[in-house]
């Protein structure tokens, strides 16, 4: 009887990082290696991307924007299910420090594709799957949305973290966008006003 093919599991062993990247967290590297091993196409955003780009003080979960095609989401979903991923939640215990736990969730490729952000946890690893927002309706401005995957990829940099591990990392400008979303829960929006309108509002 043939065993059903199991996707590559996450490996916790330490990795020798390339020069200048020694400050990166080994658990984040394990998640990135696991994503690459499962042939998931993605751009790294969030705190880990800031750390890769040189901010040694950046701390937080791996956050990615996956390539928006169905087979890619299927690969990601299959890998997450195999690792028993759940929704990340902080539950405070009286007399003890708050610790992140996972809440069971039924994941599907369609659900991952529709979500704005999935905050997931499996074993001791955290992964945020960020969604790229739809284009705004005509006449409502062009900056109050998350960059699409192709836009992120066009501006991203391909960075080798360790032998055999190279990832796409969002540009500094796009990283600022996701930092704003993480702080405020909303995409930044810039409004251009005509001079006469601005003077009228301040009168």
């Amino acid at each position: 009887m043939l065993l059903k093919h199991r996707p590559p599991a996450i490996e916790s062993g330490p990795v020798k990082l390339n020069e200048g990247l020694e400050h990166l967290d080994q658990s984040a590297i394990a998640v990135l290696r696991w994503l690459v091993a499962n042939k998931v196409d993605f751009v790294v955003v969030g705190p880990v991307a800031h750390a890769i780009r040189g901010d040694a003080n950046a701390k937080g979960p791996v956050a990615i924007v996956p390539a928006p095609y169905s087979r890619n989401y299927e690969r990601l979903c299959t890998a997450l299910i195999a690792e028993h991923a759940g929704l990340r939640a902080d539950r405070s215990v009286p007399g003890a420090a708050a610790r992140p736990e996972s809440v069971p969730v039924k994941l599907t490729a369609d659900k991952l594709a529709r979500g704005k952000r999935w905050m997931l946890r499996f074993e001791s690893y955290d992964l945020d799957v960020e969604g790229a927002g739809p284009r705004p309706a005509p006449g409502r401005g062009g900056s109050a949305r998350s960059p699409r995957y192709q836009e992120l990829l066009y501006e991203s940099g391909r960075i080798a973290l360790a032998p055999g591990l190279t990832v796409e990392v969002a540009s500094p400008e796009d990283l600022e966008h996701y930092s704003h979303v993480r702080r405020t829960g909303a995409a930044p929006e810039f409004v251009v006003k005509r001079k006469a309108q601005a003077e009228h509002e301040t009168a």
Side-chain angles (χ1 to χ4, degrees):
M1 181 177 177
L2 293 176
L3 295 176
K4 186 177 180 180
H5 175 69
R6 190 184 190 282
I10 195 162
E11 298 180 8
S12 59
V15 174
K16 181 175 175 55
L17 297 165
N18 289 341
E19 185 177 356
L21 298 171
E22 296 87 353
H23 61 279
L24 296 180
D25 185 74
Q26 285 287 341
S27 65
I29 296 299
V31 172
L32 294 172
R33 288 171 63 202
W34 169 75
L35 289 167
V36 171
N38 280 279
K39 299 181 180 179
V40 177
D41 293 330
F42 61 92
V43 174
V44 187
V45 296
V48 172
H50 281 283
I52 293 172
R53 288 201 173 274
D55 184 356
N57 296 317
K59 304 294 181 185
V62 173
I64 64 167
V65 175
Y69 57 91
S70 58
R71 183 163 294 182
N72 195 51
Y73 276 112
E74 288 167 4
R75 289 171 181 160
L76 175 58
C77 185
T78 299
L80 288 168
I81 290 172
E83 295 294 337
H84 308 290
L87 295 178
R88 195 164 71 249
D90 291 332
R91 295 185 177 178
S92 299
V93 178
R99 70 180 190 276
E101 297 180 351
S102 63
V103 178
V105 62
K106 185 176 181 180
L107 292 172
T108 67
D110 287 341
K111 285 183 180 179
L112 288 174
R114 290 197 307 266
K116 289 186 177 180
R117 178 194 292 173
W118 287 87
M119 300 171 65
L120 302 168
R121 183 174 179 82
F122 47 98
E123 296 184 22
S124 59
Y125 303 100
D126 293 334
L127 174 66
D128 289 356
V129 180
E130 302 277 3
R135 292 191 179 279
R140 294 189 179 181
S143 44
R145 66 175 178 87
S146 297
R148 291 194 170 192
Y149 173 79
Q150 289 298 336
E151 295 168 338
L152 284 172
L153 187 63
Y154 182 78
E155 299 289 342
S156 70
R158 190 163 175 80
I159 299 177
L161 308 181
L165 178 60
T166 301
V167 295
E168 295 286 349
V169 182
S171 70
E173 293 78 12
D174 287 327
L175 290 181
E176 284 305 311
H177 170 94
Y178 281 98
S179 294
H180 181 89
V181 171
R182 191 172 288 271
R183 288 193 307 269
T184 67
E189 184 170 7
F190 301 95
V191 179
V192 178
K193 295 182 178 180
R194 296 179 183 274
K195 183 178 180 181
Q197 180 185 357
E199 290 175 348
H200 175 74
E201 291 180 356
T202 56

